[in-house]
Amino acid sequence: MAAKSSFSLEPASREDIPRLAEIHVIACLPDNAFKLYFATAAEFKARVIDMLNGQVGESDWLHLKAVDYATGKLAAWASWHTPSDRELRERAAQTDAAQKPSDKGPGKGDFDFPPGLPQLVQDDTDRWINRWAYRRRHMRCLALFTDPAFQRRGMGTALVEYGNRLADEKTLPIFLQGSPYGFPIYKRAGFETVQHLDVDLREWAPGAREGDRGFGSYRFRYMLRLPMTVPDETE
C-alpha cells in the first residue's frame, strides 16, 4: 500500500510570488555557481520576483506548488513553459540570423541575467535549445526548487512527474538545464543528458584561483525527456 502523501500539488497564484522567490533563493544558496550570480540574496530575490511577475498567470506558463499538510506552508514549486508557434517562429528567425536571444534584452517573463558567468551560461543554454528545438513544439522545465526545511519528502519528484505526465498527454519533449543538485531527480524521472557545459568556477570567483575557497569544476547538464506515447497494457 502506497504511503499517504504529506503534501498537495496546487496551481501557484500571483499572491504566491514572494514565497516562490524566497524558496528559489534559499534553495540556490548552497550551489557554488549560483553564489556567483548576484552580490546579495536580496538582489537575487528581486530579479526572481521581476521574472515571476511576467510569468505567473500567463497562458503559456504553468507554475505548480507543493503545500505541506502539517504546516500549510508553500514548500516547493516548479514551472514549465510551452512556447507558442509564434514564439517558435521568432526564435527560429533569430537562429537563422545568427542572433542570440540576449541581443534584444530580456522579454516578458525572462530572467534578467547579469553579465559574466550568468550570461555565458544562458547564451550557451539558448544555443542548445535553438539547435535541438528548432521549429519543434516542446516544453521546458525552468524551475524546480524546494525549501531546504522540506527536502527529502518527495515534493521535487512529484512535481517533476506531474510535468512529465502533462508532456506525455501533449506528446511533447521536455528540455531543461540540470544543476548537480537537480540532476539525480531528473535522471530518475527519465531525463537524459544530451549536452553539457563545464565551467571552472575559480575563473569567476574573486580570489579563488588558488583553489582554497571551495570553487572548482562545475557541470551544467542539458537534459531531454521524450514523451511516452504508447500507453501501458492495463490502460
Side-chain angles (χ1 to χ4, degrees), residues 117-168:
L117 175 63
Q119 194 62 64
L120 178 145
V121 174
Q122 186 58 34
D123 285 344
D124 193 70
T125 303
D126 285 337
R127 283 192 294 270
W128 169 64
I129 284 292
N130 289 344
R131 176 190 171 201
W132 281 77
Y134 181 84
R135 287 186 174 273
R136 294 185 178 94
R137 293 189 176 99
H138 64 277
M139 290 172 57
R140 286 185 69 183
C141 178
L142 284 158
L144 177 66
F145 300 107
T146 303
D147 184 327
F150 294 92
Q151 289 178 353
R152 300 190 179 279
R153 300 189 190 184
M155 295 179 182
T157 296
L159 288 164
V160 172
E161 289 177 348
Y162 184 99
N164 287 355
R165 290 193 297 272
L166 183 61
D168 289 346

Side-chain angles (χ1 to χ4, degrees), residues 13-59:
S13 67
R14 297 190 65 81
E15 289 72 24
D16 295 318
I17 287 177
R19 176 60 176 159
L20 300 180
E22 178 185 19
I23 294 173
H24 188 142
V25 173
I26 61 177
C28 286
L29 288 179
D31 189 302
N32 277 345
F34 283 100
K35 288 178 183 176
L36 301 176
Y37 274 38
F38 299 96
T40 67
E43 180 189 358
F44 191 0
K45 184 177 179 180
R47 298 276 187 119
V48 175
I49 288 175
D50 285 344
M51 174 190 74
L52 290 172
N53 277 327
Q55 295 178 358
V56 178
E58 295 297 315
S59 60

Side-chain angles (χ1 to χ4, degrees), residues 41-231:
E43 180 189 358
F44 191 0
K45 184 177 179 180
R47 298 276 187 119
V48 175
I49 288 175
D50 285 344
M51 174 190 74
L52 290 172
N53 277 327
Q55 295 178 358
V56 178
E58 295 297 315
S59 60
D60 52 346
W61 282 92
L62 170 63
H63 294 78
L64 198 67
K65 62 184 179 181
V67 179
D68 178 60
Y69 283 140
T71 63
K73 291 193 69 174
L74 196 169
W77 68 280
S79 71
W80 297 265
H81 181 224
T82 306
S84 66
D85 287 356
R86 177 180 177 180
E87 183 177 347
L88 291 173
R89 286 191 289 268
E90 289 175 349
R91 291 186 69 93
Q94 288 179 342
T95 301
D96 293 342
Q99 294 177 334
K100 301 192 297 287
S102 60
D103 289 341
K104 64 175 184 178
K108 182 179 180 181
D110 288 341
F111 198 95
D112 186 9
F113 288 95
L117 175 63
Q119 194 62 64
L120 178 145
V121 174
Q122 186 58 34
D123 285 344
D124 193 70
T125 303
D126 285 337
R127 283 192 294 270
W128 169 64
I129 284 292
N130 289 344
R131 176 190 171 201
W132 281 77
Y134 181 84
R135 287 186 174 273
R136 294 185 178 94
R137 293 189 176 99
H138 64 277
M139 290 172 57
R140 286 185 69 183
C141 178
L142 284 158
L144 177 66
F145 300 107
T146 303
D147 184 327
F150 294 92
Q151 289 178 353
R152 300 190 179 279
R153 300 189 190 184
M155 295 179 182
T157 296
L159 288 164
V160 172
E161 289 177 348
Y162 184 99
N164 287 355
R165 290 193 297 272
L166 183 61
D168 289 346
E169 292 172 4
K170 296 182 176 182
T171 63
L172 295 176
I174 305 180
F175 296 90
L176 61 82
Q177 180 200 90
S179 71
Y181 289 87
F183 168 68
I185 293 177
Y186 299 131
K187 184 177 180 181
R188 289 195 300 270
F191 286 84
E192 296 186 16
T193 301
V194 294
Q195 193 171 313
H196 63 264
L197 172 66
D198 288 329
V199 177
D200 186 348
L201 297 181
R202 293 172 298 181
E203 300 294 324
W204 302 92
R209 291 182 180 273
E210 300 303 319
D212 59 352
R213 293 190 57 194
F215 293 97
S217 181
Y218 187 102
R219 174 163 289 187
F220 296 89
R221 291 177 171 88
Y222 303 141
M223 307 187 74
L224 166 67
R225 179 188 179 274
L226 296 176
M228 301 293 185
T229 57
V230 178

